[in-house]
Amino acid sequence: WMLANSNVLVTWCFDQSESMKDDQQEIRSRIRHVYSELGLVGQTNNDALMTAVTSYGQGYLQHTKRPTSNVEEIEAAMDTVPVDPSGKEFMCQAITLSIAQHLKYVKQGQRQMALIVVTDESGERKGNLELLEQAIATARDAKCRIFVLGREAVFGYPYAHMKWKHPFTGHVH
């Protein structure tokens, strides 16, 4: 939809929690198909959609040195998203950093910008309260559209129940 108007830079920003590993792999396994469907694999104009990969937990990581249209590089970058054992998820900080670090590529290439946050939680409450307005202002100033992909939608309930299989013991919780 955005590609119909101009070139686009999309940044994938992954939550580093262990509960997101399977979602990350699912997205990674479909990236090539998405690029193919858009007609961007093997084309001479394949830089119409540039992609960057970042992730966050207690800290923030950039997994692509610079945005790329190379599907193998995108897949390899997604493979390097670690699991953060701290359990912290500083989402608003990651949004602000992801946009700020990639804004120069947007301006250089006269591109639209989209940020896709992949998470199953809203992040650290304190961090959200302190940095939410800054993240919104950064996105607004950069004219960056933000999309959030997540699994559970608990409709305001404080708890969600999900089945989880321990990767080492095989026990189901």
Side-chain angles (χ1 to χ4, degrees):
W1 153 67
M2 291 174 71
L3 282 168
N5 297 321
S6 71
N7 292 342
V8 175
L9 168 65
V10 62
T11 300
W12 290 89
C13 188
F14 291 100
D15 168 348
Q16 294 174 354
S17 61
E18 186 174 349
S19 60
M20 291 302 298
K21 236 13 204 178
D22 54 344
D23 292 68
Q24 293 165 10
Q25 290 306 310
E26 182 72 23
I27 290 167
R28 185 235 185 259
S29 72
R30 295 176 185 221
I31 285 292
R32 183 176 303 277
H33 179 71
V34 169
Y35 270 62
S36 294
E37 291 259 325
L38 293 171
L40 299 173
V41 174
Q43 301 295 317
T44 56
N45 189 24
N46 65 354
D47 69 343
L49 177 61
M50 299 296 284
T51 302
V53 179
T54 65
S55 66
Y56 67 95
Q58 185 170 357
Y60 169 83
L61 294 172
Q62 188 168 330
H63 301 280
T64 46
K65 290 181 182 178
R66 64 184 57 196
T68 181
S69 60
N70 183 300
V71 179
E72 289 82 16
E73 289 178 22
I74 297 165
E75 291 170 335
M78 288 180 175
D79 286 339
T80 65
V81 174
V83 172
D84 181 347
S86 74
K88 302 284 185 188
E89 298 171 5
F90 290 102
M91 180 178 61
C92 288
Q93 177 185 16
I95 288 171
T96 302
L97 288 170
S98 289
I99 294 169
Q101 288 183 342
H102 295 98
L103 192 56
K104 65 182 173 187
Y105 299 107
V106 170
K107 290 179 179 179
Q108 287 172 355
Q110 299 179 344
R111 297 175 179 278
Q112 296 179 81
M113 184 179 214
L115 178 69
I116 303 172
V117 180
V118 182
T119 185
D120 59 354
E121 295 184 37
S122 59
E124 299 303 311
R125 183 175 179 83
K126 184 179 180 196
N128 284 346
L129 291 173
E130 292 173 359
L131 299 173
L132 178 62
E133 292 303 321
Q134 179 184 353
I136 292 169
T138 300
R140 185 182 305 121
D141 292 347
K143 297 182 176 119
C144 177
R145 291 184 172 102
I146 298 177
F147 303 91
V148 180
L149 296 180
R151 281 189 260 183
E152 289 80 24
V154 294
F155 303 107
Y157 290 100
Y159 304 102
H161 300 279
M162 61 184 275
K163 183 175 153 182
W164 179 73
K165 184 177 179 181
H166 193 285
F168 302 117
T169 66
H171 292 109
V172 177
H173 301 273

